[in-house]
Amino acid sequence: MKAAIKSGLLALAAVSLPAVAFAHTGVGDAGGLAHGFMHPIGGLDHVLAMVAVGTFASILGGRALWLVPASFVLMMAVGGFLGIEGVAIPFVEIGIALSVVVLGLAVALRWNPPTAAAVGVAGLFAVFHGYAHGAEMPLDAAGVNYAVSFMAATALLHIVGIGLGIAIGRIGSTSNGALRFGGSAMALAGVAILTGYL
């Protein structure tokens, strides 16, 4: 099982490496790679939600460790396609802010739903995040490059969240308090984003 988890994390990292390399070429944005890679990292709401997904997955463990982040990336691609194509989705900004609240609470409360439910929640919120990335794609960016790089940045943020969750889990008896504090801070930030204070 540990070998499968390590393989999954290595696969996510391998998928992410091309975008990292192209994001710093020094010759423009390489057809959308730099813009796509920086978009998820440039917004607090996106960073918090992506890290929360990884931390939530690490709390669940087992197959959820890779299924939850993978479903997020996959459904984010769907949302990105809808955004690029200009298909209208209502309440995108509210959905993004709520994702930070809900995923932060999932971490704080150590929510332990069935894997299918966790995958569904992550996938639902991913559509909103992907839509925002797609809708904000620069006009001169190559769509495929842009999408691959924002998916890679998302996967890296998930890996950060997984690493945090695993590290916190190893500190022993204080891990529950650390997760409660971190998740609560994320949820409060989500409320601030939702109400316009952040």
Side-chain angles (χ1 to χ4, degrees):
M1 183 57 127
K2 286 185 179 179
I5 292 168
K6 285 181 184 176
S7 297
L9 292 175
L10 287 173
L12 280 174
V15 166
S16 303
L17 286 178
V20 174
F22 282 115
H24 301 286
T25 60
V27 290
D29 82 348
L33 287 169
H35 282 294
F37 190 80
M38 293 309 296
H39 195 268
I41 296 171
L44 179 64
D45 50 0
H46 296 295
V47 170
L48 290 174
M50 313 287 177
V51 171
V53 166
T55 307
F56 179 40
S58 74
I59 291 168
L60 295 173
R63 293 183 315 138
L65 188 61
W66 64 271
L67 278 174
V68 171
S71 72
F72 194 102
V73 172
L74 177 65
M75 292 308 293
M76 193 177 71
V78 171
F81 175 78
L82 295 174
I84 289 169
E85 292 299 313
V87 176
I89 293 182
F91 310 115
V92 171
E93 293 303 321
I94 292 172
I96 291 170
L98 282 176
S99 73
V100 180
V101 175
V102 171
L103 294 166
L105 287 174
V107 170
L109 301 174
R110 294 182 61 100
W111 185 39
N112 192 17
T115 299
V119 164
V121 168
L124 172 66
F125 287 130
V127 171
F128 294 115
H129 284 270
Y131 187 89
H133 296 321
E136 295 169 14
M137 181 181 80
L139 293 175
D140 61 345
V144 172
N145 289 347
Y146 181 82
V148 166
S149 58
F150 77 64
M151 290 166 61
T154 296
L156 284 175
L157 289 169
H158 290 331
I159 291 169
V160 168
I162 289 169
L164 282 173
I166 290 171
I168 290 170
R170 289 186 175 166
I171 62 174
S173 59
T174 59
S175 63
N176 285 343
L179 288 171
R180 267 197 302 274
F181 176 79
S184 298
M186 287 179 180
L188 285 173
V191 171
I193 292 166
L194 190 61
T195 57
Y197 286 101
L198 269 180

